[in-house]
């Protein structure tokens, strides 16, 4: 454990060593997440490479039994640049530490091993800041500890997976920002040994997931699995072998909770998932967004849900896992769900609804498992009175509850709504104020943006779940650029992500009539019914007039993406780390620019007043397929550095009940299907 800490410190900072003389002036130091107390008293004599020179790769690690002793056991205090110890009597919560940087020494006292890790991660950030500014480390004291004990992200890989190397690097990044949990939504990406039919051909083995779990555990990150059921079961029930277990024989969405074989299959999957994640504390059993018929049993939806819930939570308890359950369906069945997410409800209306319908829940209160954590997910409006009231109901009735916020929901290409940072902050702060102790950041793969683009939301979550309400949203955005790319890029002049949101949102349906992108694959003749009409040569200007608003948005998007192209290029030339993140943003920007630029070329064609103008415009339109292929090839090349962009040839797509883009083709066509149809229609039109 300690050896990996020291190795990480050396590797992370050695590339920053410079021969130039360091200034003794005070630099600017900002950590993420923000420490609870951080007092700078002056300038030390310590350079970042003073720290590195002591901890070389050949450093003999302290034996685990000696973790409570300082480095003076290896080297004298006067020679050591860092002296540390673990002191369980420190009086801080788990993960807490105190650090003092004097003129010539760093002293770390950690509450436990997790605290020691986090102290070194903070020291790394200080070293980075010092090196980048060519200054010495600050003379300072830090007292730090988390406000929420469990700070977990959701890793959803149902529609694709990244390379194994990417997940290892993700663990390093999460540890650096003091995230300590992952809820791993496996679906078919585990080679199940007891139910092998379920696994995709590109699934990792149980041993590969276990090795990753071991690696995460060494960095104090606990991986727990999420295996979907009662609903969201298409990855299982799409296979002929399991069709008899469907609640509705025509639908692969939900299990029949009255069939005992349902539980045999689910428990087999659970057992393999628990073996793959041996250090996990939890078993997330899903349970959201499902109605079951009861097969004429006379049982209500709520009774059926609770019957299933009691059986699967009993399994979790028998296997020493705490079950987590999405809580939406009992609230829906009782008629109190609306106020948890819809701002139209006033406080009075919410209280009235609970007064009327709350007894429907209370009538089944004895059937709610007490060993379960009820996960109250609210992605956009966690501050609503109705959401807080629902969470209060669980607490008042002796049921454990925790929140789930979101860094990605159903946004295409990239997270939007400012990476949902304001909602993340709101739920984190309320979870701290209500002493809930836990919070999950969901990162849905439904429409499968590249995971690199989730990073800003993850870092914002790391900030607010650890530190609480210390920084504004704008400060966190700046801090993200500083930590993710370079100190020099923290300035607002280098901000670009928010500017890309409107063009991306418009891009989704820029070439379509209505909100059609997710529905193209299931539409009849989408090229004619969903793709926009094209200019009529006999009525020049009519198309432009009919699409006036669309074209105004396209002009704005083209101007924005052209500007962002140059800004991202500048950022790539200045960044000191994570250039790949910028490469992915660059590809998103290029794709959005292409679709909007195509609309403006159509306008030129439609508005041409001379044969020469029309011929020139037609030539530009005829070249669009080549431009598109270039854009697509480059995007796929960049994405493929970390992602498997094509599903296995024998992959069986499910019935796609929630029209997830990433579930609509074996290859990567789903990402570009609107553009492909548009270009086909355009080619046919120009040949007329």
């Amino acid at each position: 454990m300690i050896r990996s800490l020291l190795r990480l410190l050396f590797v992370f900072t050695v590339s920053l060593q410079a021969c130039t003389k360091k200034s003794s002036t005070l630099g600017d130091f900002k950590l993420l997440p923000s420490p609870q107390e951080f007092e700078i008293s002056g300038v030390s004599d310590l350079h970042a490479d003073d720290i590195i020179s002591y901890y070389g790769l050949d450093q003999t690690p302290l034996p685990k039994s000696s973790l409570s002793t300082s480095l003076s056991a290896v080297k004298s205090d006067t020679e050591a640049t860092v002296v540390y110890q673990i002191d369980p009597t420190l009086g801080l919560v788990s993960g807490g530490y105190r650090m003092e940087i004097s003129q010539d020494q760093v002293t770390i006292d950690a509450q436990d091993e997790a605290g020691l890790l986090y102290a070194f991660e903070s020291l790394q950030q200080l070293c980075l800041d010092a090196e980048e500014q060519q200054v010495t480390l600050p003379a300072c004291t830090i007292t730090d500890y988390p406000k929420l004990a469990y700070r977990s992200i959701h890793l959803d890989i149902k529609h694709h997976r990244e390379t194994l190397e990417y997940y290892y690097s993700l663990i390093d990044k999460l540890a650096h920002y003091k995230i300590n949990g992952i809820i791993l939504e496996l679906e078919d990406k585990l080679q199940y040994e007891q139910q092998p039919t379920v696994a995709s051909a590109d699934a990792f083995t149980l041993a590969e997931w276990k090795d990753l779990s071991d690696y995460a555990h060494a960095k104090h990150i606990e991986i727990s699995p999420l295996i979907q059921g009662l609903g969201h079961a298409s990855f299982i029930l799409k296979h002929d072998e399991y069709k008899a277990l469907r609640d509705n024989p025509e639908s692969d969405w939900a299990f029949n909770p009255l069939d005992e074989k349902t539980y045999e299959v689910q428990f087999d999957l659970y057992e393999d998932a628990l073996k793959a994640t041996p250090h996990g504390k939890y078993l997330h059993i899903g349970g959201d967004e499902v109605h079951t018929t009861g097969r004429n049993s006379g049982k209500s939806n709520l009774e059926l849900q609770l019957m299933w819930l009691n059986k699967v939570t009993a399994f979790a308890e028998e296997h020493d896992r705490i079950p987590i359950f999405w809580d939406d369906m009992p609230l829906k069945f009782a008629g109190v769900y609306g106020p948890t997410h819809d701002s139209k409800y006033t406080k009075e209306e919410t209280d009235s609804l609970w007064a009327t319908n709350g007894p429907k829940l209370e009538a089944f209160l004895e059937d709610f498992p007490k060993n379960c954590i009820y996960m109250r997910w609210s992605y956009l409006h966690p501050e609503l009175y109705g959401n807080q009231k629902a969470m209060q109901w669980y607490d008042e009735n002796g049921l454990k509850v925790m929140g789930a916020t979101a860094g990605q929901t159903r946004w295409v290409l990239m997270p939007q709504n400012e990476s949902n940072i304001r909602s993340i902050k709101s739920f984190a702060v309320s979870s701290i104020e209500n002493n809930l102790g836990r919070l999950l950041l969901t990162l849905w793969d439904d429409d499968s943006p590249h995971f690199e683009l989730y990073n800003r939301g993850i870092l914002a979550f790391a900030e607010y779940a650890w530190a609480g309400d210390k920084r504004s949203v704008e400060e966190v955005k700046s801090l993200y650029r500083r930590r993710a790319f370079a100190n020099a890029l923290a300035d607002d002049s280098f901000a670009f992500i928010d500017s890309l949101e409107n063009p991306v949102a418009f891009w989704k349906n820029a070439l379509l009539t209505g909100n059609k992108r997710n529905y193209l694959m299931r539409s009849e003749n989408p090229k004619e019914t969903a793709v926009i009409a094209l200019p009529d040569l006999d009525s020049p200007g009519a198309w432009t007039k009919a699409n006036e608003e669309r074209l105004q948005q396209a002009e704005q998007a083209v101007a924005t993406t052209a500007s962002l192209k140059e800004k991202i290029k500048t950022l790539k030339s200045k960044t000191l780390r994570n250039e790949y993140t910028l490469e992915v943003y660059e590809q998103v920007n290029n794709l959005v620019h292409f679709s909007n630029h195509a609309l403006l070329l159509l306008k030129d064609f439609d508005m041409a007043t001379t044969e020469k103008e029309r011929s020139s415009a037609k030539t530009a339109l005829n070249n669009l397929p080549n431009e598109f292929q270039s854009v697509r090839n480059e995007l796929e090349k960049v994405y493929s550095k970390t992602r498997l962009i094509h599903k296995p040839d024998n992959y069986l797509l499910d019935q796609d009940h929630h029209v997830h883009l990433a579930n609509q083709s074996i290859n990567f066509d789903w990402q570009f299907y609107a553009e492909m149809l548009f270009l086909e229609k355009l080619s046919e039109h120009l040949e007329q």
Side-chain angles (χ1 to χ4, degrees):
M1 170 64 187
I2 297 303
R3 183 171 178 78
S4 66
L5 279 176
L6 305 185
R7 180 181 296 271
L8 182 61
L9 178 62
F10 178 81
V11 172
F12 192 76
T13 54
V14 70
S15 63
L16 296 174
Q17 294 185 44
C19 296
T20 56
K21 185 177 180 179
K22 309 298 190 301
S23 170
S24 60
T25 59
L26 181 61
D28 178 39
F29 296 89
K30 289 185 174 67
L31 304 182
L32 194 162
S34 302
Q36 302 302 339
E37 299 176 19
F38 184 12
E39 296 183 4
I40 297 177
S41 57
V43 180
S44 80
D45 295 328
L46 289 171
H47 301 157
D49 47 9
D50 290 331
I51 307 298
I52 301 164
S53 64
Y54 181 72
Y55 294 117
L57 287 176
D58 59 348
Q59 175 66 44
T60 301
L62 290 174
K64 192 160 187 177
S65 60
S66 301
L67 289 180
S68 60
T69 65
S70 75
L71 282 180
S72 59
V74 180
K75 209 166 190 178
S76 70
D77 288 354
T78 56
E79 294 177 286
T81 56
V82 178
V83 176
Y84 64 87
Q85 66 173 352
I86 290 177
D87 181 1
T89 68
L90 201 57
L92 301 176
V93 298
S94 178
Y97 66 90
R98 291 196 176 100
M99 183 191 303
E100 180 180 359
I101 301 179
S102 63
Q103 287 301 112
D104 56 4
Q105 192 172 76
V106 180
T107 303
I108 296 171
D109 295 301
Q111 182 71 31
D112 49 20
E113 281 195 22
L116 185 59
L117 169 69
Y118 299 147
F120 272 98
E121 299 293 357
S122 294
L123 182 56
Q124 283 185 304
Q125 292 188 24
L126 293 175
C127 288
L128 283 171
D129 284 354
E131 275 294 345
E132 290 178 40
Q133 299 171 70
Q134 292 297 292
V135 298
T136 56
L137 291 170
C140 65
T141 58
I142 296 175
T143 300
D144 203 10
Y145 51 87
K147 289 291 188 73
L148 290 177
Y150 182 66
R151 308 168 303 283
S152 183
I153 72 156
H154 168 228
L155 184 56
D156 178 15
I157 55 174
K158 61 173 164 283
H159 294 314
H160 82 281
R161 70 163 178 81
E162 314 290 348
T163 64
L164 195 55
E165 292 75 18
Y166 185 84
Y167 292 128
Y168 276 95
S169 66
L170 176 62
I171 296 299
D172 291 341
K173 182 182 299 180
L174 297 177
H176 187 61
Y177 296 110
K178 305 179 177 68
I179 299 292
N180 68 350
I182 294 175
I183 297 294
L184 175 62
E185 184 156 354
L186 283 162
E187 290 222 349
D188 57 10
K189 300 304 184 293
L190 167 64
Q191 289 184 25
Y192 297 98
E193 296 178 350
Q194 299 185 70
Q195 299 288 340
T197 302
V198 174
S200 171
D202 60 354
F204 290 136
T205 65
L206 192 154
E208 286 172 322
W209 281 119
K210 181 182 179 299
D211 286 346
L212 184 70
S213 181
D214 290 343
Y215 184 80
H217 180 64
K219 293 177 178 290
H220 296 279
I221 296 173
E222 167 197 299
I223 300 180
S224 296
L226 191 164
I227 303 294
Q228 281 283 14
L230 180 63
H232 286 278
S234 297
F235 72 105
I236 305 165
L237 299 176
K238 66 183 180 181
H239 296 287
D240 289 340
E241 181 178 338
Y242 304 106
K243 284 183 177 179
L245 300 181
R246 294 178 176 184
D247 175 69
N248 175 357
E250 302 304 315
S251 171
D252 63 13
W253 183 252
F255 276 103
N256 174 10
L258 298 173
D259 192 329
E260 286 304 313
K261 290 185 178 179
T262 286
Y263 304 99
E264 292 177 17
V265 171
Q266 291 191 2
F267 293 170
D268 282 350
L269 300 180
Y270 290 167
E271 286 178 356
D272 282 349
L274 296 185
K275 292 175 184 176
T277 58
H279 309 290
K281 183 186 302 180
Y282 303 102
L283 170 61
H284 200 312
I285 43 81
D288 61 322
E289 299 178 323
V290 58
H291 292 74
T292 47
T293 65
R295 299 289 186 97
N296 299 315
S297 65
K299 295 185 181 297
S300 69
N301 271 302
L302 183 54
E303 288 177 290
L304 292 166
Q305 182 100 18
L306 291 173
M307 174 191 301
W308 170 82
L309 184 60
N310 274 279
K311 290 187 178 183
V312 295
T313 55
F315 171 93
E317 187 168 13
E318 290 167 5
H319 291 76
D320 297 318
R321 295 292 177 109
I322 300 170
I324 299 176
F325 166 67
W326 300 122
D327 79 329
D328 55 313
M329 295 316 299
L331 300 181
K332 287 180 180 178
F333 295 145
V336 294
Y337 179 71
T340 65
H341 69 98
D342 194 333
S343 59
K344 75 177 183 180
Y345 291 89
T346 65
K347 180 179 183 298
E348 291 73 19
E349 290 171 333
T350 299
D351 285 336
S352 176
L353 195 66
W354 270 92
T356 301
N357 293 336
K360 298 178 184 178
L361 277 180
E362 290 158 11
F364 289 93
L365 190 57
E366 291 303 312
D367 295 322
F368 278 73
K370 303 301 187 293
N371 67 327
C372 186
I373 293 177
Y374 295 84
M375 185 165 277
R376 174 83 293 279
W377 56 281
S378 183
Y379 298 155
L380 299 180
H381 299 291
E383 76 285 351
L384 290 178
Y385 173 73
N387 187 53
Q388 301 298 321
K389 188 173 181 68
M391 298 183 79
Q392 183 180 4
W393 182 85
Y394 290 113
D395 185 59
E396 290 176 347
N397 286 283
L399 301 173
K400 292 175 285 189
V401 62
M402 70 176 286
T405 183
Q408 164 66 14
T409 61
R410 289 300 304 270
W411 293 306
V412 295
L413 283 184
M414 59 178 276
Q416 295 169 49
N417 192 33
E418 301 176 274
S419 302
N420 216 33
I421 296 176
R422 297 179 196 279
S423 296
I424 292 170
K425 177 181 181 179
S426 175
F427 220 152
V429 171
S430 67
S431 295
I432 292 167
E433 291 175 345
N434 290 289
N435 298 312
L436 297 182
R438 310 178 183 97
L439 188 64
L440 175 70
L441 179 74
T442 59
L443 300 165
W444 294 105
D445 189 43
D446 300 356
D447 296 324
S448 213
H450 198 291
F451 196 88
E452 278 297 289
L453 307 189
Y454 296 0
N455 284 336
R456 188 170 69 158
I458 292 172
L459 267 62
F461 174 79
E463 167 69 20
Y464 292 120
W466 175 281
D469 192 5
K470 282 185 171 289
R471 294 192 182 276
S472 70
V473 170
E474 294 305 317
E475 287 175 324
V476 167
K477 291 177 185 177
S478 173
L479 194 51
Y480 161 75
R481 292 191 299 276
R482 178 192 186 108
R483 298 265 60 102
F485 304 122
N487 271 240
L489 301 180
D491 186 81
D492 287 346
S493 63
F494 294 104
F496 72 97
I497 299 175
D498 292 347
S499 299
L500 188 51
E501 285 189 7
N502 283 338
V504 166
F506 176 64
W507 165 87
K508 181 180 180 182
N509 295 295
L511 303 175
L512 305 172
T513 60
N515 184 22
K516 297 287 182 66
R517 185 174 285 265
N518 288 70
Y519 302 90
L520 293 174
M521 293 285 189
R522 62 174 57 179
S523 300
E524 290 187 20
N525 195 14
K527 189 164 57 178
E528 297 305 319
T529 61
V531 177
I532 58 171
L534 299 176
D536 183 352
L537 297 180
D538 296 327
S539 302
W543 182 87
T544 298
K545 184 175 182 180
N547 289 277
E548 182 177 5
E549 183 178 349
R550 186 190 300 266
L551 290 169
Q552 287 177 352
Q553 289 180 275
E555 288 173 355
Q556 293 171 357
V558 165
T560 299
T561 52
S563 173
L564 291 179
K565 182 180 182 68
E566 295 306 311
K567 181 170 283 192
I568 294 173
K569 183 178 179 181
T570 299
L571 286 163
K572 286 172 64 179
S573 71
K574 293 179 177 292
T575 190
L576 298 176
R577 46 194 173 269
N578 295 317
E579 183 176 356
Y580 181 62
T581 306
L582 296 171
E583 291 178 3
V584 178
Y585 275 115
E586 185 175 47
Q587 296 309 311
V588 169
N589 191 65
N590 290 344
L591 178 58
V592 171
H593 182 86
F594 169 82
S595 301
N596 286 282
H597 178 60
L599 286 173
L600 299 189
L601 291 182
L602 278 176
K603 178 183 177 181
D604 292 343
F605 183 69
D606 182 54
M607 296 297 290
T609 58
T610 67
E611 193 60 36
K612 182 178 180 180
E613 287 178 349
R614 176 151 294 181
S615 176
S616 177
K618 185 175 182 179
T619 298
L621 289 174
N622 278 322
N623 194 47
L624 280 176
N626 291 331
E627 291 182 24
F628 169 72
Q629 196 59 50
S630 177
V631 169
R632 175 173 180 167
N633 289 346
E634 189 61 25
L635 187 147
E636 291 189 351
K637 178 182 176 182
V638 170
Y639 277 39
S640 295
K641 290 181 180 180
T642 62
R643 168 176 287 198
L644 274 65
I645 62 174
H646 303 300
K647 294 178 173 65
D649 291 340
N650 66 345
Y651 193 83
L652 179 65
L653 295 172
D654 63 45
Q655 294 177 350
D656 196 30
H657 298 274
H658 284 189
V659 287
H660 292 172
L661 280 172
N663 186 48
Q664 295 179 0
S665 66
I666 298 296
N667 62 13
F668 208 33
D669 281 355
W670 64 264
Q671 182 70 84
F672 313 99
Y673 197 45
E675 287 71 26
M676 293 165 62
L677 289 174
F678 167 79
L679 291 172
E680 286 181 21
K681 185 170 183 175
L682 177 63
S683 178
E684 294 167 1
H685 186 72
L686 294 176
E687 290 175 359
Q688 295 176 0

